[in-house]
Amino acid sequence: KILSADLVVIGSLNKLGKFTVTAKFINVGFGRIELADSETADTEDGIQNAVNILAGRMAGNITNAGKEIKTGPRAEADTSMKETAPDAKPSYSYNLTIGGNYMLPQGRFANLVDAGYGGTVNINIENLFIRNSLLGVETGFWYFPGKKDNVDYCTMIPAFVTAGYKYYIFNSFYIAPAVGAGASYNIMCWDKDGSLDGTYKYEKENKIESLARAGLGLGYVFNNMFSIQLGADYCVVLEKKPLGFLLFSAGAGVVF
């Protein structure tokens, strides 16, 4: 950064049976790996040849990828870069994340049910329109035990369309604000009329209702392939009198 470099290449040489030469192009401005490759040699005499092969291959790859690499502020101001590839779009990738959830009901909802738990599965496309953008779908299952005697439980099967953006704050650490909207299949098992003698006759009330959420995630990416993420969201079931709850999540994912 002191030298105003956009990219820096680092390398390593390891021996585990064979010799392995590895090189990585690091995006200084965003603190992420833009390109990585390796080559092997059977003997010490073959290391130089492996280095030459790797250098040639990576030189071609970084040239081809250069139009898609967004670097630091200098690249933003470099009009010649924009003229070289005015229509270039970043390559996209898929992210699959599975997580566990803890829900804390708020307001009127908290009068009916206790804190709940469940899980979600999210798949999104990264870099579809702009670099680091996220667009995906999410579903899952949530369970809330009843709080009042006349409420047995409440379950929710949500289905969201989500949109967000990854801000890399340090190396592979990122924050990701996101919003979502969709619907949920809700089941409330309760005695709606209550009981006079302490005996409750629970019945299931099924509804498909609109659902919205907004929140923030904090994550870390390993080797551009695996990730872990923590998140906090506020969700609202859009009834005449909305039901809200805080959603806390922790999950792991894979990039492909």
Side-chain angles (χ1 to χ4, degrees):
K1 290 183 179 180
I2 294 175
L3 296 175
S4 298
D6 290 324
L7 297 173
V8 61
V9 61
I10 62 173
S12 64
L13 174 64
N14 299 289
K15 185 178 186 299
L16 185 61
K18 295 183 177 182
F19 292 93
T20 301
V21 183
T22 302
K24 298 177 183 179
F25 277 91
I26 307 297
N27 189 320
V28 177
F30 289 86
R32 61 171 176 252
I33 299 173
E34 295 287 359
L35 184 65
D37 201 352
S38 63
E39 185 65 34
T40 60
D42 294 327
T43 65
E44 186 174 347
D45 292 337
I47 293 177
Q48 184 59 58
N49 186 52
V51 170
N52 293 339
I53 294 173
L54 179 61
R57 188 165 65 234
M58 292 199 73
N61 290 339
I62 199 67
T63 299
N64 293 332
K67 295 178 181 179
E68 299 179 353
I69 295 176
K70 181 179 179 182
T71 53
R74 295 194 305 115
E76 294 287 349
D78 189 348
T79 56
S80 63
M81 178 179 290
K82 295 179 181 178
E83 292 173 359
T84 302
D87 297 324
K89 294 181 179 179
S91 59
Y92 58 85
S93 61
Y94 294 94
N95 297 268
L96 174 65
T97 303
I98 300 176
N101 306 129
Y102 175 78
M103 289 82 66
L104 193 61
Q106 303 292 301
R108 190 168 67 93
F109 198 28
N111 295 328
L112 299 174
V113 297
D114 276 324
Y117 53 88
T120 52
V121 177
N122 177 284
I123 184 167
N124 61 59
I125 305 176
E126 186 174 350
N127 303 325
L128 181 60
F129 299 112
I130 58 175
R131 181 168 292 277
N132 298 334
S133 65
L134 300 169
L135 181 65
V137 293
E138 182 173 323
T139 187
F141 179 82
W142 297 330
Y143 176 85
F144 299 85
K147 188 171 186 177
K148 290 187 174 182
D149 290 336
N150 68 315
V151 179
D152 191 11
Y153 66 83
C154 173
T155 61
M156 303 176 67
I157 302 177
F160 289 102
V161 175
T162 60
Y165 190 86
K166 281 185 177 180
Y167 293 93
Y168 284 89
I169 54 179
F170 177 73
N171 291 335
S172 295
F173 285 96
Y174 65 86
I175 57 174
V179 295
S184 176
Y185 178 66
N186 304 330
I187 299 177
M188 179 74 81
C189 185
W190 65 336
D191 186 339
K192 189 173 183 179
D193 298 324
S195 172
L196 297 177
D197 59 2
T199 302
Y200 295 95
K201 184 179 180 181
Y202 297 114
E203 295 182 355
K204 293 181 180 179
E205 183 177 348
N206 306 332
K207 289 183 180 181
I208 296 178
E209 299 177 294
S210 298
L211 195 63
R213 64 185 287 186
L216 188 69
L218 175 65
Y220 182 81
V221 180
F222 300 89
N223 298 323
N224 284 346
M225 292 182 61
F226 305 101
S227 65
I228 56 174
Q229 181 169 317
L230 301 175
D233 295 76
Y234 187 77
C235 300
V236 179
V237 180
L238 301 176
E239 295 184 345
K240 290 183 179 180
K241 294 183 179 180
L243 301 176
F245 58 94
L246 294 172
L247 172 67
F248 302 97
S249 59
V254 61
V255 180
F256 56 95

